[in-house]
Amino acid sequence: MRHRSEEKREAILEAAAQVFGEVGFERASMTEISARAGGARATIYSYFESKEELFFDAMLKTTAAEFEATHQALESGTENVEEALKRFGHHFLSVLYSPEVQAIRRVVIAEAGRSNLGQLCFERGVQKSDARVAEFLDRAILAGKIKPTNTKIATKHLCALLEAEFTDYFHFQIAAIINDQTINAAVARAVEVFMAAYQVSE
């Protein structure tokens, strides 16, 4: 029974990803999603509390592997903090500024004022990601690599620096050249500034 329930949940997520991808969040119909998943509309609500939760889980399913790889870049230890942060930064920007994830982020921003989708994505996405970065920085402090500091704030500084060269293009929907070369250059500059502020002086 449990196996069948997991299969049904996966079918709903797959159908939801298709519908959200085709018509967006606002126009997506729970009736259409349930029809594609092969079941009644009420069935969806036995797995997901709301359309917002379904959207988040469906989008997470399509990007989970990439985001996990992003945070795995910090699992190599604190021997070389600068290099670990550069690996993280490259994955972070490559995922965040991929066309697919940019589209998802714009939907979330547009819907944030009309529903709890923004809060849901912040709590289940941004905050969880920040916590993993902060844990790495905590380990770096214990290893004597960076100065004792509030790592929650340091995480925000790091992420803001990493995005600094691209965020205006995203917000104003202006085409920009975002590839491995431009990402690597931006990450190098961002990490240099971060380390200048936080690295323990030799």
Side-chain angles (χ1 to χ4, degrees):
M1 183 67 177
R2 183 177 178 182
H3 179 63
R4 289 174 59 193
S5 295
E6 289 172 354
E7 283 186 343
K8 188 61 180 178
R9 185 178 188 277
E10 290 299 307
I12 293 170
L13 286 173
E14 186 174 336
Q18 291 173 357
V19 176
F20 286 131
E22 290 169 9
V23 302
F25 178 83
E26 187 175 8
R27 293 174 56 200
S29 161
M30 298 292 263
T31 301
E32 174 63 19
I33 293 170
S34 63
R36 293 196 191 188
R41 188 171 183 270
T43 303
I44 294 179
Y45 291 102
S46 67
Y47 290 90
F48 305 94
E49 291 184 1
S50 64
K51 182 179 177 182
E52 289 79 10
E53 184 176 289
L54 176 57
F55 176 87
F56 177 82
D57 284 1
M59 296 304 102
L60 180 65
K61 179 176 168 57
T62 65
T63 59
E66 289 85 355
F67 274 109
E68 182 57 30
T70 297
H71 295 99
Q72 283 294 325
L74 298 175
E75 298 302 318
S76 58
T78 55
E79 186 64 29
N80 191 325
V81 171
E82 186 172 356
E83 288 305 311
L85 292 179
K86 285 181 180 179
R87 287 194 298 273
F88 167 78
H90 178 83
H91 283 286
F92 179 75
L93 292 179
S94 296
V95 173
L96 212 56
Y97 286 89
S98 67
E100 298 79 11
V101 175
Q102 285 195 71
I104 293 170
R105 292 169 68 197
R106 289 193 174 107
V107 169
V108 173
I109 291 169
E111 293 298 323
R114 295 193 286 261
S115 72
N116 71 334
L117 182 59
Q119 181 178 351
L120 186 69
C121 291
F122 176 72
E123 292 175 350
R124 298 189 185 182
V126 175
Q127 286 190 323
K128 286 187 175 182
S129 174
D130 284 356
R132 292 182 68 174
V133 178
E135 287 172 4
F136 171 80
L137 296 177
D138 284 331
R139 296 196 301 273
I141 291 172
L142 290 174
K145 300 294 184 177
I146 67 171
K147 302 171 185 176
T149 189
N150 183 326
T151 52
K152 290 182 179 180
I153 294 175
T155 295
K156 288 300 185 185
H157 289 170
L158 174 64
C159 293
L161 286 166
L162 288 170
E163 281 202 75
E165 298 182 30
F166 303 107
T167 186
D168 283 345
Y169 294 102
F170 170 74
H171 287 140
F172 296 104
Q173 299 192 38
I174 297 171
I177 299 174
I178 302 177
N179 54 33
D180 279 349
Q181 184 176 356
T182 57
I183 285 174
N184 284 336
V187 168
R189 289 186 284 266
V191 173
E192 181 181 7
V193 174
F194 182 85
M195 295 302 289
Y198 286 102
Q199 189 174 25
V200 170
S201 300
E202 300 258 335

